[in-house]
Amino acid sequence: MDVKGSRSRTQRAAGRAARLLLGALLLTLGSPLADPAIAQTPLQTGGGAGFDGDPSTTERLLESHPTYAAVEISKLRFAAASSATGRKARHVVLSRDNTFADSVAGSALADDGPLLFTPTNSLHPATADEIGRVLPAGGRVLLLGGPAAISDEVMRQLQERGFTTERRAGATRVETAVAVAEAVRVRHPGEDVLIARAWGPTGNDTAAWADSIAGGAFAAASHSPILVTRSSGLDAPVAAWLARDTPARTTLLGGDAALSNAVAAAVPNPRRVSGAERTATAAAIATQLWGAPTSGARRFLVNNASADTGWAFGFASAGVAADANAPVLLVTSKVTEPTTALTQTCGSPQVDLLIVGDGTVVPAPMREQLDATDGYACGPRGAVVYPSNLEAFPACAAVLDHFKTTALEHVGPYGLGGYGDYAFDGGIMPISPGTRDGGASPALGETDGSSAPPAATPGDQNASGGGSSGTNVQEEGVDEPDIAKNNGTHVFSVSGSELRIVDVADGTPSLASKVTLAENGSHELLLSGNRVLVLTREFNFFIADGGGREAPEGSSFAPSGGPPSTTLTSIDITDPAQPTVLSSIAIEGDYRSARMIGSVARVVIQGDPDSMPFVYPNSDDPEDLQAAAAHNRSVIEDSTLDTWLPGYVLGGPQGENTGEGALVDCTDVHSPPIFSGLGTLSVVTVDIAGGSEPTSSASVVASGDTVYASTSRLFVSTGRWGWEADALDTGPTTEVHGFDISVPTATEYVGSGSAPGYILNQFALSEFAGHLRIATTSQPPWREPGTPIPSDNGVHVFAEQGGSLVEVGRVRGLGEGERITAVRFFGDLGAVVTFERIDPLFLLDLSNPAAPRVTGELKVPGFSSYLHRVAPDRLLGVGSSATDEGMVTGAQVSLFDISNRSAPRLVDSVDFPNGFSTVEYDHHAFLHWPATGLAVIPLYEFSETSPGFIGAVGLDVATGGLGEVGRATHEDEGVEGWDTQIARSMVVNGNLFTVSDAGIESNSLTNLAERTFLALH
């Protein structure tokens, strides 16, 4: 199947989806237009070749090889010669497959017969078969060019097959175009002539044919000859032909760089149709020659004018343009304004599009942008306002149709997105290896409740009375998974494949027990009462397996194993010396993060397609590429719902299978109106007190990376950046999907929204008083390396309205030319740190969601990556020291006075030259114990002249400044290396403990001096 409909609106039901998949090949073709005054002919409203007549869908020719694309276009347009019904081809136009030279002129003959391709010295088998299908015995094949273009051997083979051959050729491409023009005039006497450039400038071959793609389509529709000449002047053979033909009008395609004014002066009755660049010229041809309207119902073909083989797709599809009266629009490395100007509407879709080539020819993000302009161009000056609401699919058939149709746009010779078995995610921001929530450097760790002093973590008390610290979290009352937890008597930590349970009730650590965990994964913990939930991200090994299929000749099966999977294991710790595994659930999907309120956890899973038996070609041979792409498309066609939606398997105490099922019902899957990935983002509800089996779930078809939750809402963000953002010319965008978690037993999707720019980490998101705040940076780090990067930062405020997250306020201009390195929200107070050379700290008043504003700014050298409020008027920053030129020199801890929001000031700072702290990217590594004013920060110091330092440093943050009170290290225990790096610090029952892979140590809460070390290797 060669032409597919691409879902661009979610309201289409499964019945219509099936029609989109099958109907394009069954359409009754419109009659080709013969009126030379086609510019005044209104666009047809019925179906045409490859178009389904539905402006809410975009059709696409799913081919990556131009020779096969030309064959499929021929099949779409013409019936078999032996058929009693259907449109018959009058001839076949045959051109060489390695250069555009002769195809330019030949496109004018593509209205009455297909334009096909073949190598110079042999007749391509697929082309030969198609000629035999559409032509009867004795049928005419028009060969473009001399024997150097299409050899006499090819002619002989055609004649042996019983066809009549007619060569249209000249000494050069200029003369060949003249010979073809004679053939056009014989068949269609007329008045107009088109002229295009014959050669492009050195190093820019695509410029030679870019204007001809759009012009050739018009030539086919209007039966006008299309001649070619050098750019600087009119070639003599062209001048002679024009003198004989005396056209009423000679149309020059392109600006004076393509065809000079000397050319214009040498032709009869000239008119020039051009734009500032090739896509603008195509738009001008559409409006000035075709008379295409700029509003209302309209129809266009879309070709890529910068792809190496774009000329072949363009000229082969000229006949489709003629059949459907559809002008050609062009994209290049992005969708440009002249193209979007002709496809934009606001409200109901009105533009029917056919994209020529699969996602390897015209990338899917470009189709997405074109779809978005058709119905969503509702912003100022036609700017696209992306829809934010997601709708539930009506049935499982619609879910499967969405995945298949979307995946077919992305699949190619190397699988999905060119990465073998893995699904392409639309340029989604990658997850940093340092943090589960996708940020490069987490920034904050305390309550977002108000501007008052942060409330104590449950268990925090005055040191003399004991008390225990919890995990350093973003929001009070919302626990986060971590590698170490405590319940006041025991410390639970994971290292490698072990869960370690250490008794610390009397202040001296002693091993209570160990539990063996999966070896091929990473682990985090949630703790509630007498239950521990171990969240395991398991990594699957790659294999090459066809699953019963055979790889086509010239291809091999791609290594596959699918994305990581997630296992949740419930362990009873009523007796810490004898912990008991109660149950487990293995989920097909990648663990992103989790949040827990009370005993109810919400676990965020990114589900990607199951392992699929894709192949990859063993060479760059076009036939191998074509065979691999065809095989991989068939894999998508044969996929089932289980391929796309994640499932789960329940396990008993001994790992036995106790049940299985789908992680989410089809009717609980929400559909994005624009492409957001080929995976499902699921929020799974698990009551830890009741085991590991989900009590509810909700999903959206999207990819997610960063997780944030308040006590009533959970948000997962998707970052659109990288080449996709560049292709769409939109810059990075952050899409956020919101879920209601206010009811312990349920999770409900509430809406989605998007903000311009990318976010740093989870602390760039904050929900307060019914509003979501998002702090973004407009430009990613890779833009224009080595030069000042135009960048802007700001905070956007959203409210839930009508099933969407709608922006209600914003403030931008924070650190122009810089990027956000830390964010913190405290109720109606916001703190943002940006950095390029100097560290500005901005304070924001967020009390009016519709009008957030900057109240104060402070510039100091270096920057903070982590902010922590240690007193009502004191803000602690952990980050890096830097020179005035922006060169990082080590770790730095800063203390700011924020009592005057209009004039924050630096109180004190401590530098650790050549130092680094994991707090900069992992906020769980930070400990603040308000009862004594102690802050503990893991620290690594490098030194060329001394052993350096690996451990943690204690700082007094309560006496008006910053003072180092002591250091702790595990290196003194006969163990060296990174295993001794202190990963966590915690207070348990009034005692300080530091945890590393090497063991757990009891330390003085006053000066961090060692008391007792328990080795755990």
Side-chain angles (χ1 to χ4, degrees), residues 370 503 531 587 675 780 897 935:
L370 292 168
D503 188 339
R531 300 286 175 85
I587 300 173
F675 177 72
D897 183 344

Side-chain angles (χ1 to χ4, degrees), residues 545-602:
D545 182 8
R549 289 174 175 259
E550 291 186 4
E553 184 177 353
S555 298
S556 301
F557 283 106
S560 63
S565 59
T566 301
T567 299
L568 311 180
T569 305
S570 177
I571 301 176
D572 188 330
I573 55 165
T574 303
D575 181 357
Q578 293 183 325
T580 304
V581 174
L582 298 176
S583 62
S584 66
I585 176 172
I587 300 173
E588 296 173 331
D590 190 5
Y591 168 65
R592 285 295 189 255
S593 191
R595 297 294 184 267
M596 184 174 72
I597 301 172
S599 66
V600 177
R602 266 72 179 202

Side-chain angles (χ1 to χ4, degrees), residues 639-710:
S639 64
T640 65
L641 201 60
D642 290 341
T643 304
W644 303 100
L645 293 183
Y648 70 86
V649 176
L650 295 175
Q654 306 303 318
E656 68 275 16
N657 186 334
T658 61
E660 57 187 59
L663 190 65
V664 61
D665 291 333
C666 293
T667 53
D668 290 331
V669 179
H670 292 79
S671 153
I674 59 174
F675 177 72
S676 297
L678 288 171
T680 52
L681 181 65
S682 301
V683 180
V684 180
T685 305
V686 177
D687 187 346
I688 296 178
S692 55
E693 185 172 359
T695 58
S696 70
S697 61
S699 295
V700 297
V701 181
S703 294
D705 41 63
T706 303
V707 178
Y708 160 81
S710 66

Side-chain angles (χ1 to χ4, degrees), residues 45 79 111 178 249 276 319 329 601 692 844 986:
T45 57
D111 60 330
V178 168
R249 184 162 46 191
L329 298 180
S692 55
L844 298 105
M986 62 183 68

Side-chain angles (χ1 to χ4, degrees), residues 421-763:
D421 184 63
Y422 281 117
F424 175 80
D425 61 5
I428 303 302
M429 190 192 322
I431 295 179
S432 165
T435 171
R436 190 76 66 203
D437 284 332
S441 51
L444 267 293
E446 225 171 51
T447 177
D448 190 22
S450 70
S451 57
T457 305
D460 283 352
Q461 300 175 18
N462 184 282
S464 62
S468 300
S469 63
T471 297
N472 186 33
V473 298
Q474 182 176 2
E475 296 280 11
E476 181 185 2
V478 183
D479 199 11
E480 300 178 14
D482 197 13
I483 60 173
K485 297 282 185 179
N486 82 83
N487 64 359
T489 61
H490 290 77
V491 173
F492 305 85
S493 67
V494 289
S495 176
S497 59
E498 285 185 338
L499 168 62
R500 302 161 168 180
I501 304 177
V502 177
D503 188 339
V504 295
D506 62 359
T508 301
S510 61
L511 182 64
S513 61
K514 292 183 178 181
V515 178
T516 301
L517 305 174
E519 294 185 357
N520 61 326
S522 59
H523 313 278
E524 291 185 331
L525 307 175
L526 285 171
L527 173 64
S528 178
N530 61 356
R531 300 286 175 85
V532 167
L533 185 68
V534 181
L535 304 104
T536 301
R537 186 187 189 212
E538 295 190 65
F539 304 99
N540 297 316
F541 297 102
F542 285 93
I543 59 172
D545 182 8
R549 289 174 175 259
E550 291 186 4
E553 184 177 353
S555 298
S556 301
F557 283 106
S560 63
S565 59
T566 301
T567 299
L568 311 180
T569 305
S570 177
I571 301 176
D572 188 330
I573 55 165
T574 303
D575 181 357
Q578 293 183 325
T580 304
V581 174
L582 298 176
S583 62
S584 66
I585 176 172
I587 300 173
E588 296 173 331
D590 190 5
Y591 168 65
R592 285 295 189 255
S593 191
R595 297 294 184 267
M596 184 174 72
I597 301 172
S599 66
V600 177
R602 266 72 179 202
V603 184
V604 180
I605 303 293
Q606 178 65 56
D608 287 317
D610 279 351
S611 175
M612 287 186 272
F614 291 133
V615 298
Y616 60 87
N618 295 331
S619 72
D620 292 334
D621 181 82
E623 302 307 316
D624 289 349
L625 291 168
Q626 172 66 20
H631 171 95
N632 294 338
R633 281 196 289 269
S634 72
V635 170
I636 298 296
E637 292 278 15
D638 295 340
S639 64
T640 65
L641 201 60
D642 290 341
T643 304
W644 303 100
L645 293 183
Y648 70 86
V649 176
L650 295 175
Q654 306 303 318
E656 68 275 16
N657 186 334
T658 61
E660 57 187 59
L663 190 65
V664 61
D665 291 333
C666 293
T667 53
D668 290 331
V669 179
H670 292 79
S671 153
I674 59 174
F675 177 72
S676 297
L678 288 171
T680 52
L681 181 65
S682 301
V683 180
V684 180
T685 305
V686 177
D687 187 346
I688 296 178
S692 55
E693 185 172 359
T695 58
S696 70
S697 61
S699 295
V700 297
V701 181
S703 294
D705 41 63
T706 303
V707 178
Y708 160 81
S710 66
T711 55
S712 62
R713 292 291 185 270
L714 182 143
F715 297 95
V716 186
S717 75
T718 297
R720 289 176 173 268
W721 61 346
W723 74 270
E724 177 188 8
D726 291 341
L728 301 183
D729 202 26
T730 59
T733 301
T734 297
E735 298 170 357
V736 180
H737 311 298
F739 300 85
D740 184 347
I741 58 172
S742 59
V743 178
T745 57
T747 300
E748 298 288 341
Y749 167 76
V750 295
S752 297
S754 65
Y758 72 93
I759 67 171
L760 179 68
N761 51 45
Q762 70 183 69
F763 294 95

